[in-house]
């Protein structure tokens, strides 16, 4: 690998099953409480919590911590 994987192995497997266009949409639809609006999440890590994928990262605009939950039952 070129850089260290910030996803846990189960989170990586979950993420890889999502089509790349959907991945992009998910990353572009994170809520930033500081901007009070939708933003793009960047520099994120991935973990699985109770079957859902949790992306922990930062708002691309202001750098505020942003979390994006992707439900495990969503195709
Ligand atoms: Zn922000």
């Amino acid at each position: 690998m070129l850089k260290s994987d910030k996803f846990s192995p189960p989170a990586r497997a979950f993420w890889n099953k999502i089509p790349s266009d959907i991945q992009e949409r998910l990353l572009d639809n994170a809520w930033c409480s500081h901007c009070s609006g939708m933003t793009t999440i960047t520099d994120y890590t991935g973990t699985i919590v109770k079957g859902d994928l949790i992306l922990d990262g930062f708002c691309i605009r202001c750098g505020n911590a942003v979390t994006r939950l992707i439900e495990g039952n969503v195709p």
Side-chain angles (χ1 to χ4, degrees):
M1 286 189 291
L2 292 173
K3 57 181 181 178
S4 63
D5 198 342
K6 291 181 168 185
F7 282 51
S8 66
R12 174 56 63 191
F14 183 117
W15 186 242
N16 285 349
K17 276 190 270 181
I18 302 172
S20 57
D21 57 323
I22 306 290
Q23 290 178 354
E24 254 176 67
R25 210 174 66 197
L26 293 167
L27 295 172
D28 285 343
N29 281 281
W31 177 263
C32 177
S33 57
H34 185 262
C35 296
S36 295
M38 302 311 280
T39 185
T40 299
I41 188 169
T42 187
D43 198 23
Y44 47 87
T45 60
T47 50
I48 298 289
V49 178
K50 294 177 186 169
D52 298 329
L53 174 61
I54 309 287
L55 298 178
D56 277 311
F58 301 92
C59 172
I60 204 166
R61 289 200 291 250
C62 73
N64 192 53
V66 168
T67 300
R68 183 75 168 91
L69 183 147
I70 298 156
E71 289 179 18
N73 57 4
V74 173

